[in-house]
Amino acid sequence: MGFPATRLRRTRRTPLLRRMVRETRLTAANLVLPLFVCPGEGIEQPIPSMPGVARQSVDRIVATAAAAHGESVPAVILFGLPEHKDAVGSAAWSDDGIVQRAVRALAAQVPDLLRIVDVCFCEYTDHGHCGVLRPDGSVDNDATLENLTRQAVSLARAGADVVAPSDMMDGRVGAIRRGLDAAGLADTIILAYAAKFASGFYGPFRDAADSTPSFGDRRGYQMDPANRREALREVALDVEEGADVLMVKPAMAYLDVLAALRQRFDHPLAAYHVSGEYAMLKAAAQNGWLDYDRVLMESLVAMRRAGADWILTYAAREAAALLAKGWEE
Ligand code: PBG
């Protein structure tokens, strides 16, 4: 017997063999495209720190969503830029709000695309925090729960298939579930941003969504990047409260958290490849420093390998196009 006896290179030799021993696959069915809805008509406002991404009015959102659907992207997640902001973010639960209007248009014009909506207040409050403030400037958890529930019910009534609370208040999944059920919306899915870390990688998103806090930061509600065990406790609570799909955010720097969730829970899992992760790839590609297609697909397959069923990424259409061209083969 020759040495070494085990030669892993045997099954790596040809494209055919590599395809036959591949453990993880990325398909277009895994992808969710985030979109930013703004008021007006015919509006496309490119976001400089997110090349290829724009704020779009409802008519443009419908066109983009239809194109994505045609490219086999099965779902979008909507973020809103309201006409008016106030201290509590009341535009978020207006039945005629910007995201409510976009959801209705999508339901009418691209009905087969899954409609996911972000549920949070940072885009709607004039101070940019994710809920109602107490006089001392901290976010009032329980007062915010009521408003989150109103927002979720309003969006589900407008036709959202999935509501995705990203605020990180304690008890929000349970409050939203009860609110939806009481409103006769038992089929609405809750995608919980279950382990959401206080991350610098959200920088470009805050430009896009105009949601940078006017004072302080989000460390009082989002998680400390150093904590994995605490993430498991966060997720366990969301599971108890009735979350249907569990998300880790950001993705790349938190793949260990995702892998730990995959071991512990049998729910579908999602990973959010956030704005800063996307911006890094785009910036390096623009400088000619990285092969964009290759590092993009490597990043996304790594999220699949760690356990993600859904991947929210600004590159969803690019990835779907590469897959359609036979990237995986
Ligand atoms: C709203 C929200 C944020 C993101 C998704 N939902 C921003 C934040 O928490 O500051 C970030 C998404 C991204 O960076 O792509 N709370």
Side-chain angles (χ1 to χ4, degrees):
M1 194 169 69
F3 186 81
T6 301
R7 290 183 185 271
L8 287 168
R9 290 186 54 194
R10 277 186 204 119
T11 49
R12 262 176 225 157
R13 229 168 13 88
T14 65
L16 173 71
L17 283 165
R18 290 195 291 274
R19 181 146 56 100
M20 291 181 70
V21 299
R22 186 157 298 139
E23 298 173 27
T24 309
R25 282 204 153 69
L26 174 71
T27 71
N30 302 120
L31 301 171
V32 178
L33 177 67
L35 297 172
F36 297 99
V37 198
C38 67
E41 229 196 286
I43 310 265
E44 291 269 350
Q45 280 174 358
I47 299 151
S49 54
M50 300 174 73
V53 180
R55 300 174 177 182
Q56 300 177 299
S57 50
V58 171
D59 55 315
R60 302 304 308 148
I61 290 281
V62 169
T64 303
H69 182 59
E71 293 157 0
S72 302
V73 174
V76 293
I77 178 163
L78 299 175
F79 297 93
L81 290 124
E83 272 107 349
H84 306 290
K85 302 191 186 216
D86 60 27
V88 294
S90 61
W93 63 76
S94 157
D95 290 338
D96 197 32
I98 187 72
V99 177
Q100 282 84 348
R101 275 181 271 153
V103 164
R104 264 187 235 111
L106 287 174
Q109 295 179 57
V110 202
D112 297 337
L113 188 74
L114 191 80
R115 296 173 295 279
I116 309 177
V117 292
D118 188 75
V119 170
C120 190
F121 288 105
C122 56
E123 297 128 62
Y124 298 91
T125 51
D126 50 19
H127 45 74
H129 278 286
C130 300
V132 181
L133 294 184
R134 292 202 196 88
D136 69 356
S138 63
V139 175
D140 183 335
N141 193 88
D142 298 6
T144 302
L145 293 186
E146 258 175 63
N147 294 350
L148 286 165
T149 304
R150 295 166 84 174
Q151 182 187 14
V153 168
S154 167
L155 288 164
R157 280 208 179 109
D161 301 297
V162 182
V163 294
S166 69
D167 51 286
M168 292 299 281
M169 297 303 120
D170 285 315
R172 75 223 202 273
V173 170
I176 290 171
R177 183 74 272 158
R178 284 189 294 278
L180 289 169
D181 292 353
L185 296 159
D187 284 340
T188 305
I189 294 166
I190 299 182
L191 162 62
Y193 285 73
K196 176 172 176 178
F197 292 86
S199 172
F201 288 107
Y202 307 149
F205 174 95
R206 290 180 189 174
D207 294 340
D210 189 22
S211 63
T212 308
S214 59
F215 65 91
D217 56 40
R218 304 210 205 290
R219 285 176 232 233
Y221 37 105
Q222 298 182 351
M223 287 192 54
D224 185 334
N227 292 0
R228 188 163 61 93
R229 293 193 304 268
E230 189 189 342
L232 295 172
R233 296 181 66 204
E234 271 286 358
V235 174
L237 285 175
D238 285 0
V239 165
E240 254 174 56
E241 292 173 27
D244 300 293
V245 184
L246 309 169
M247 179 143 69
V248 175
K249 176 183 172 189
M252 286 289 274
Y254 300 87
L255 291 183
D256 61 320
V257 176
L258 193 59
L261 294 194
R262 182 68 299 159
Q263 289 218 325
R264 191 160 310 185
F265 300 98
D266 292 326
H267 291 60
L269 298 182
Y272 200 140
H273 183 227
V274 299
S275 57
E277 304 180 74
Y278 173 81
M280 287 196 299
L281 298 186
K282 284 287 178 191
Q286 283 178 355
N287 279 295
W289 294 341
L290 283 175
D291 174 340
Y292 179 80
D293 293 351
R294 197 166 164 193
V295 291
L296 170 66
M297 298 309 261
E298 187 175 332
S299 304
L300 300 182
V301 92
M303 294 169 208
R304 293 277 297 136
R305 193 188 64 234
D309 300 295
W310 296 2
I311 299 174
L312 286 66
T313 175
Y314 302 95
R317 292 182 64 189
E318 293 170 321
L322 289 170
L323 290 167
K325 277 196 291 184
W327 181 270
E328 283 265 1
E329 309 309 314

